[in-house]
């Protein structure tokens, strides 16, 4: 991987992996003819790197699992990228280290139809490419406890656009829901699926505590196989000894359950305290959410030795302007 570093008015400019090499982000540009720009024919990942000051390293959470999901997306969208999951992990650590971050970051890989061909409504016989950027990233959601609304937009069904992958085009659905919710003064939208059952947030999986059990929709309900979702399902069982269920959740159960929280790489684990102007439980972050949140934060910042295998450490290189 060749490297270069550009200066931006004396400030260090971040680098991107683009068209097979590392270049300053300002040089990583696509043509207006690019297929993915017109049709959303890409798959991407959102990965967090969490800065641990004491260890002087960024801990990247479940890096390989993110690339495994990206590669599954590439299979469905016929995106040929010449890298294995291991190579993608290595390229990511190299770029994070090169960019020299000493703060929490977001890592965004994107595999996309790079062919400069429009009026071409298919996936075959179109070139693909892979690009990767890393940017500083703090809180994603506007609040530590969320006031949500049920979206008037239904979550895309798997028979319309595959819901087990993060395809770029499908995010118009998430963006419409988030826009509606935030313009109406809420923090986040909860989307129902085509059956009218709870599906997920615009960029998060949803969990409820109902009758003392932790419940989340099935993947068959059109929810994304979230990496945080899977992490929380494991932790609730192994660390809290909770019973967990993956099943359909009716809309009325959302109003009547003890707790609701959302999970996602960007959102971490965030309690929902109000839905459609009704308090959830006693209207405060619930005990299960708080216990899981504490466990989760220690793990993703590399502070829990039992789960260090989920973290990949990247040590920032000394960066000169
Ligand atoms: N659902 C949607 C629609 C998302 O965009 C995300 C974020 N990737 C999630 C759920 C949570 O997935 P993860 O925990 O892998 O970030």
């Amino acid at each position: 991987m060749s490297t270069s570093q550009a200066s931006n008015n004396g400030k260090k400019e971040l680098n991107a992996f683009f068209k097979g090499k590392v270049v300053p982000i300002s040089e990583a540009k696509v043509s207006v003819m690019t297929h993915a720009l017109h049709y959303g024919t890409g798959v991407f990942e959102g990965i967090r790197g969490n800065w641990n000051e004491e260890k002087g390293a960024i801990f990247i959470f479940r890096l390989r699992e993110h690339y495994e999901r990206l590669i599954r997306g590439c299979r469905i969208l016929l995106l040929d990228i010449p890298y294995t999951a291991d190579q993608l992990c290595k390229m990511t650590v190299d770029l994070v280290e090169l960019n020299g971050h000493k703060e929490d970051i977001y890592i965004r890989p994107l595999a996309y139809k790079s062919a400069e061909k429009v009026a071409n409504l298919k996936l075959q016989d179109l070139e693909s490419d892979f690009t990767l950027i890393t940017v500083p990233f703090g809180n994603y959601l506007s609040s530590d406890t969320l006031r949500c609304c049920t979206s008037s937009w239904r979550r895309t069904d798997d028979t319309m656009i595959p819901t087990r992958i993060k395809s770029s085009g499908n995010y118009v659905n998430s963006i419409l829901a988030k826009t509606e919710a935030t313009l109406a003064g809420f923090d986040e939208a909860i989307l129902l699926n085509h059956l009218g059952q709870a599906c997920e947030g615009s960029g998060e999986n949803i969990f409820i505590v109902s009758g003392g059990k932790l419940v989340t929709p099935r993947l068959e309900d059109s929810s994304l196989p979230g990496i945080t979702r899977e992490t929380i399902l494991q932790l609730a069982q192994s660390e809290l000894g909770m019973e967990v269920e993956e099943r359909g959740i009716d809309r009325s159960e959302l109003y009547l359950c003890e707790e609701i929280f959302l999970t996602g790489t960007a959102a971490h684990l965030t309690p929902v305290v109000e839905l459609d102007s009704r308090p959830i439980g006693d209207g405060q972050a619930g005990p299960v959410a708080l216990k899981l949140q504490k466990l989760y934060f220690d793990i993703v910042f590399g502070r829990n030795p039992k789960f260090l295998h989920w973290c990949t450490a990247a040590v920032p290189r000394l960066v000169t302007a």
Side-chain angles (χ1 to χ4, degrees), residues 210-221:
S210 185
K213 291 183 196 158
L214 188 65
V215 187
T216 193
R218 295 168 295 233
L219 301 183
E220 295 83 346
D221 295 326

Side-chain angles (χ1 to χ4, degrees), residues 170-221:
N170 201 21
Y171 274 79
V172 172
N173 178 244
S174 292
I175 288 167
L176 285 168
K178 179 90 179 198
T179 303
E180 177 189 54
T182 50
L183 285 179
F186 295 98
D187 299 309
E188 183 54 290
I190 306 289
L191 288 93
L192 306 178
N193 65 13
H194 68 292
L195 296 172
Q197 290 192 306
C199 188
E200 53 191 351
S202 66
E204 306 87 15
N205 289 108
I206 186 166
F207 283 84
I208 65 170
V209 179
S210 185
K213 291 183 196 158
L214 188 65
V215 187
T216 193
R218 295 168 295 233
L219 301 183
E220 295 83 346
D221 295 326

Side-chain angles (χ1 to χ4, degrees), residues 69 155 166 171 200 202-205 224 226-228 263-265:
R69 186 169 62 187
R155 180 71 176 143
K166 284 173 73 71
Y171 274 79
E200 53 191 351
S202 66
E204 306 87 15
N205 289 108
L224 184 81
I227 285 150
T228 324
T263 65
T265 299

Side-chain angles (χ1 to χ4, degrees), residues 95-126:
L95 187 68
V96 169
E97 294 189 341
L98 176 70
N99 277 336
H101 303 284
K102 290 188 174 169
E103 59 198 318
D104 297 343
I105 58 165
Y106 197 62
I107 301 165
R108 166 54 55 81
L110 169 70
Y112 64 106
K113 285 290 176 193
S114 55
E116 294 178 14
K117 283 183 192 156
V118 292
N120 217 310
L121 291 184
K122 57 180 174 55
L123 294 168
Q124 71 275 28
D125 306 324
L126 293 170

